[in-house]
Every structure is written in C-alpha cells, then in structure tokens.
C-alpha cells in the first residue's frame, strides 16, 4: 500500500532530509586516508542525536550502527568498524535519520584521496543516473520509466545495475511501498502521484551485477570483487515537480 504524504508531512520529511544531508556534509568532509569507518559513524550518530534526531538504522533488524559504510567492492550495508580508509578507495556512506517521526534517507559515494580515473567515472555516472531518475519523479509518470532510465543510462557505459537491492517508498517507515528498482520497463508499474515520497538509490557495478552477503549477515559485495557505487536521495513527487528532500 502506497502512503501519500500531506503538506505537513512533506515539510517534516524535508527537515529529516535536511538533517541527513547535514550529517553527510559533516562525515563526507572527514573522509581522507587514515580515517576509520567507525570514526565517521561516531560523528554521524553524535550529530544526529544532538539535533534531536534518531539514527534510524541503529537497531533495525539488529543492525549495529548509524551509517552504512561500503568500501570498494562493498555494494551496500558495510558495517562501520576499525577498517582504515586508504588512498584510492571509494566509500559509500548511507545515512538514515528520523526527526519528529519522519525519515530521510540518502547516500553519497566519496573518493578517499586521489582515485583512479575509472573509479571517478563510476562515481560521476552513478550520480548522473540518480539525477536523471529524479527528474522523472513527476505526477503521471510511470515508475517503470523512472527505473528503466537508470539501467538505460549506465548499461551503454559498460556498467551493470544491481538487481538484488532497490530503492523504496519512505515516510514514517524506512521501507514503504513501492519498491523502486534500478531497472524496469518504460510505461509499466504504478503511476507516480503528488505526495509520493521515494528513496531512489542506484547501485552500479564496474563488473558483473551479481552480489553476495558476507558472513556478518549484512555486508553486500560484488561477486567478482569489482567496485560498486551508490548514490541516493529521498524525493517527493509534487505538482511542482520533483523535490529532493535530502538537501542541506
Ligand atoms: N539506506 C538503506 C536502505 O535504504 C539503509 C538500510 S541499512 C539497515 O535500505 F541496516 F538499516 F537495514
Ligand atoms: Co534507502
């Protein structure tokens, strides 16, 4: 069941989204060779709580941290820990926060120091795929068209789309209907309506699309060990067009 949000709820989601964006601004500025992923996590949790928010992921199905920090071949759900980030790594930082009962969800993949041209191209194109999909989040559009836009953009560039995980509706719950895949058939699926709020989150691989979950039960990696990038925004469909809620 798709839950449309009223104006008040959209305003509250904008505040939750703003908190997520500010948290990402803070931790992304900390990313440099030598820092650990748990340094980033501690800073994020502290910042969210001081702002009166709740780190939504912490405790969700037993997840132990505020952020997901996914390095290189890790696709999503990397658990922050003592791992030291090294020059040339990329790290996907996924942050979800609840403020006044409503949720914002966003991800940025950051370079650690100087990265290869190929890695930079992967990041740039994953972000571009997200922005193109966001532009389709308009009343009357079909979800399949939005989903397909991601696959159609990255496939000719030589990348693959992760199919094992997808975006989602978001609101009072982190995961609401509808699912928002990163591939699809244009013209199919639910029609987007004003008041719909979705997390759009392309996960794009340099090698094969297939993934597996590590023994910790969370961390998703590419089966071929090739890098993966992830960008995400929470977006509201409105009569005035798409509104990105997870901006500072
Ligand atoms: N941003 C992620 C998502 O969209 C966060 C889930 S991590 C979890 O699903 F630990 F909370 F599951
Ligand atoms: Co999400």
């Amino acid at each position: 069941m798709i839950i449309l949000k009223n104006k008040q709820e959209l305003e509250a989601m904008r505040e939750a989204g703003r908190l997520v964006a500010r948290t990402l601004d803070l931790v992304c500025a900390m990313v440099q060779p030598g820092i650990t992923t748990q340094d980033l996590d501690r800073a994020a949790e502290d910042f969210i709580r001081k702002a009166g928010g709740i780190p939504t992921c912490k405790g969700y199905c037993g997840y132990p941290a505020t952020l997901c920090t996914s390095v290189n071949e890790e696709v999503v759900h990397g658990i922050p820990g003592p791992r030291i980030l090294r020059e040339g790594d990329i790290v996907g930082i996924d942050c979800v926060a609840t403020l006044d009962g409503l949720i914002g969800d966003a991800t940025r993949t950051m370079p650690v120091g100087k990265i290869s041209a190929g890695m930079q191209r992967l990041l740039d194109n994953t972000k571009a795929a997200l922005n193109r999909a966001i532009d389709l989040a308009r009343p009357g559009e079909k979800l399949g068209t939005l989903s397909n836009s991601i696959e159609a953009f990255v496939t000719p560039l030589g990348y693959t789309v992760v199919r094992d995980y997808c975006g989602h509706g978001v609101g009072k719950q982190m995961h609401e209907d509808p699912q928002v895949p990163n591939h699809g058939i244009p013209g199919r699926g639910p029609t987007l309506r004003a008041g719909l709020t979705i997390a759009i989150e392309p996960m794009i691989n340099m090698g094969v699309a297939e993934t597996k979950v590590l023994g910790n039960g969370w961390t998703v990696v590419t089966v071929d060990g090739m890098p993966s990038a992830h960008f995400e925004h929470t977006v509201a469909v409105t009569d005035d067009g798409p509104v990105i809620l997870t901006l500072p």
Side-chain angles (χ1 to χ4, degrees), residues 122-132 153 202 231:
L122 176 69
L123 301 194
D124 293 346
N125 284 310
T126 304
K127 196 178 195 175
L130 171 60
N131 285 328
R132 294 166 66 98
F153 177 66
F231 284 85

Short mmCIF file of all heavy atoms in Angstrom, two decimals, residues 122-132 153 202 231:
data_model
loop_
_atom_site.label_atom_id
_atom_site.label_comp_id
_atom_site.label_asym_id
_atom_site.label_seq_id
_atom_site.Cartn_x
_atom_site.Cartn_y
_atom_site.Cartn_z
N LEU A 122 33.00 6.04 -12.59
CA LEU A 122 31.91 5.25 -11.99
C LEU A 122 31.08 6.14 -11.05
O LEU A 122 29.85 6.10 -11.08
CB LEU A 122 32.49 4.05 -11.24
CG LEU A 122 31.47 3.19 -10.49
CD1 LEU A 122 30.57 2.43 -11.46
CD2 LEU A 122 32.17 2.21 -9.54
N LEU A 123 31.75 6.91 -10.22
CA LEU A 123 31.03 7.79 -9.28
C LEU A 123 30.21 8.83 -10.05
O LEU A 123 29.02 9.03 -9.76
CB LEU A 123 32.01 8.52 -8.34
CG LEU A 123 32.92 7.68 -7.45
CD1 LEU A 123 33.54 8.56 -6.36
CD2 LEU A 123 32.17 6.52 -6.81
N ASP A 124 30.84 9.49 -11.01
CA ASP A 124 30.16 10.56 -11.76
C ASP A 124 28.92 10.00 -12.47
O ASP A 124 27.86 10.65 -12.47
CB ASP A 124 31.10 11.17 -12.80
CG ASP A 124 32.26 11.94 -12.14
OD1 ASP A 124 32.18 12.22 -10.93
OD2 ASP A 124 33.24 12.24 -12.86
N ASN A 125 29.04 8.84 -13.06
CA ASN A 125 27.93 8.30 -13.83
C ASN A 125 26.82 7.75 -12.93
O ASN A 125 25.64 7.81 -13.31
CB ASN A 125 28.42 7.24 -14.81
CG ASN A 125 29.11 7.89 -16.00
OD1 ASN A 125 28.57 8.80 -16.62
ND2 ASN A 125 30.32 7.44 -16.31
N THR A 126 27.17 7.23 -11.78
CA THR A 126 26.13 6.76 -10.85
C THR A 126 25.32 7.94 -10.34
O THR A 126 24.09 7.90 -10.26
CB THR A 126 26.77 5.96 -9.70
OG1 THR A 126 27.55 4.90 -10.25
CG2 THR A 126 25.71 5.39 -8.78
N LYS A 127 26.03 9.04 -10.02
CA LYS A 127 25.35 10.25 -9.57
C LYS A 127 24.47 10.81 -10.70
O LYS A 127 23.33 11.24 -10.46
CB LYS A 127 26.42 11.27 -9.17
CG LYS A 127 25.92 12.42 -8.36
CD LYS A 127 27.13 13.30 -8.02
CE LYS A 127 26.82 14.26 -6.92
NZ LYS A 127 28.02 15.02 -6.53
N ALA A 128 24.98 10.78 -11.91
CA ALA A 128 24.20 11.27 -13.05
C ALA A 128 22.95 10.42 -13.26
O ALA A 128 21.86 10.94 -13.55
CB ALA A 128 25.06 11.28 -14.31
N ALA A 129 23.08 9.10 -13.08
CA ALA A 129 21.92 8.20 -13.22
C ALA A 129 20.86 8.55 -12.19
O ALA A 129 19.65 8.57 -12.50
CB ALA A 129 22.37 6.74 -13.06
N LEU A 130 21.29 8.85 -10.96
CA LEU A 130 20.34 9.25 -9.92
C LEU A 130 19.64 10.55 -10.32
O LEU A 130 18.41 10.64 -10.25
CB LEU A 130 21.07 9.43 -8.58
CG LEU A 130 20.24 10.06 -7.45
CD1 LEU A 130 19.00 9.23 -7.14
CD2 LEU A 130 21.09 10.24 -6.19
N ASN A 131 20.39 11.52 -10.77
CA ASN A 131 19.79 12.82 -11.09
C ASN A 131 18.81 12.71 -12.26
O ASN A 131 17.77 13.37 -12.27
CB ASN A 131 20.89 13.85 -11.38
CG ASN A 131 21.56 14.29 -10.08
OD1 ASN A 131 20.92 14.35 -9.03
ND2 ASN A 131 22.85 14.58 -10.14
N ARG A 132 19.13 11.86 -13.22
CA ARG A 132 18.21 11.67 -14.35
C ARG A 132 16.92 11.01 -13.88
O ARG A 132 15.82 11.36 -14.34
CB ARG A 132 18.88 10.82 -15.43
CG ARG A 132 20.07 11.52 -16.08
CD ARG A 132 20.90 10.53 -16.86
NE ARG A 132 20.15 10.01 -17.99
CZ ARG A 132 20.25 10.46 -19.23
NH1 ARG A 132 21.09 11.43 -19.51
NH2 ARG A 132 19.54 9.94 -20.19
N PHE A 153 20.71 4.35 -18.93
CA PHE A 153 21.82 5.30 -18.93
C PHE A 153 23.16 4.61 -18.68
O PHE A 153 24.15 4.90 -19.35
CB PHE A 153 21.58 6.39 -17.88
CG PHE A 153 22.69 7.38 -17.76
CD1 PHE A 153 22.99 8.24 -18.81
CD2 PHE A 153 23.46 7.45 -16.61
CE1 PHE A 153 24.03 9.17 -18.70
CE2 PHE A 153 24.50 8.37 -16.49
CZ PHE A 153 24.79 9.23 -17.54
N PRO A 202 20.38 4.23 -7.08
CA PRO A 202 21.13 3.35 -7.98
C PRO A 202 22.39 2.80 -7.32
O PRO A 202 23.13 3.53 -6.67
CB PRO A 202 21.48 4.26 -9.16
CG PRO A 202 21.27 5.65 -8.70
CD PRO A 202 20.24 5.58 -7.61
N PHE A 231 24.51 6.10 -4.97
CA PHE A 231 24.03 7.44 -4.60
C PHE A 231 22.54 7.35 -4.37
O PHE A 231 21.84 6.60 -5.06
CB PHE A 231 24.33 8.46 -5.70
CG PHE A 231 25.77 8.90 -5.75
CD1 PHE A 231 26.72 8.15 -6.44
CD2 PHE A 231 26.18 10.04 -5.08
CE1 PHE A 231 28.05 8.54 -6.48
CE2 PHE A 231 27.52 10.44 -5.11
CZ PHE A 231 28.45 9.70 -5.81
#
